[in-house]
Amino acid sequence: MPGSTGIALHPHARPAGAGHPDSMQAMTKGCLAGTGVAFISYQGEVYPCGYLPVLAGNLHQQSLAEIWENAPVFQQLRDTGNLKGKCGYCEFRNICMGCRARAFAATGDFLDEEPFCVYQPRTVEAVRSQEEENHASIH
């Protein structure tokens, strides 16, 4: 076909739920920094992702397995209980996690809330509602 790239997004389409990782229907989650991916610089520096400049280790000093399993930054990222702000309260934190690189860029803390997320977690609304009720009953 004229003007076509000749590339098909689903040349061998599989039924939804087939779970093949190259499928557009593959199950994934939001931020994969330190939980599913790592970035390794040409100098052997290991980071949670290419956009999050928090050094986890260096391959000239440790093995990738040791860094992946033991680096404090990776351990912190894998525990969604460490997330702060509305990400820490969000009912989708185990699926989404927000973008840890954007949180770091905005606040200097990669565990802080995702600055561009417009979603208001229901759990946050419940906490705010309870705080307002408590404040009203005091005054």
Side-chain angles (χ1 to χ4, degrees):
M1 169 191 274
S4 171
T5 63
I7 299 171
L9 290 178
H10 298 286
H12 306 287
R14 296 172 188 247
H20 195 275
D22 65 1
S23 168
M24 293 298 282
Q25 277 82 30
M27 184 62 173
T28 187
K29 58 178 258 176
C31 182
L32 296 173
T35 63
V37 299
F39 175 82
I40 302 172
S41 78
Y42 74 96
Q43 296 175 325
E45 299 164 323
V46 180
Y47 297 91
C49 88
Y51 302 106
L52 182 55
V54 178
L55 186 64
N58 190 300
L59 295 179
H60 297 291
Q61 299 165 355
Q62 299 170 279
S63 71
L64 180 58
E66 187 178 3
I67 294 168
W68 181 258
E69 293 170 9
N70 301 316
V73 64
F74 288 150
Q75 291 178 349
Q76 290 172 322
L77 286 166
R78 291 178 189 139
D79 182 356
T80 57
N82 290 326
L83 296 175
K84 300 175 185 174
K86 69 180 181 180
C87 290
Y89 292 106
C90 186
E91 63 270 26
F92 297 112
R93 72 178 175 265
N94 293 317
I95 299 168
C96 171
M97 282 183 59
C99 176
R100 302 297 91 219
R102 286 193 295 249
F104 183 79
T107 68
D109 183 352
F110 62 89
L111 296 171
D112 214 338
E113 70 182 46
E114 156 70 71
F116 295 113
C117 179
V118 297
Y119 180 71
Q120 287 301 317
R122 291 185 210 167
T123 51
V124 170
E125 291 172 9
V127 168
R128 285 187 184 148
S129 176
Q130 184 64 43
E131 287 174 352
E132 289 172 3
E133 287 176 20
N134 292 344
H135 181 73
S137 67
I138 294 172
H139 295 95

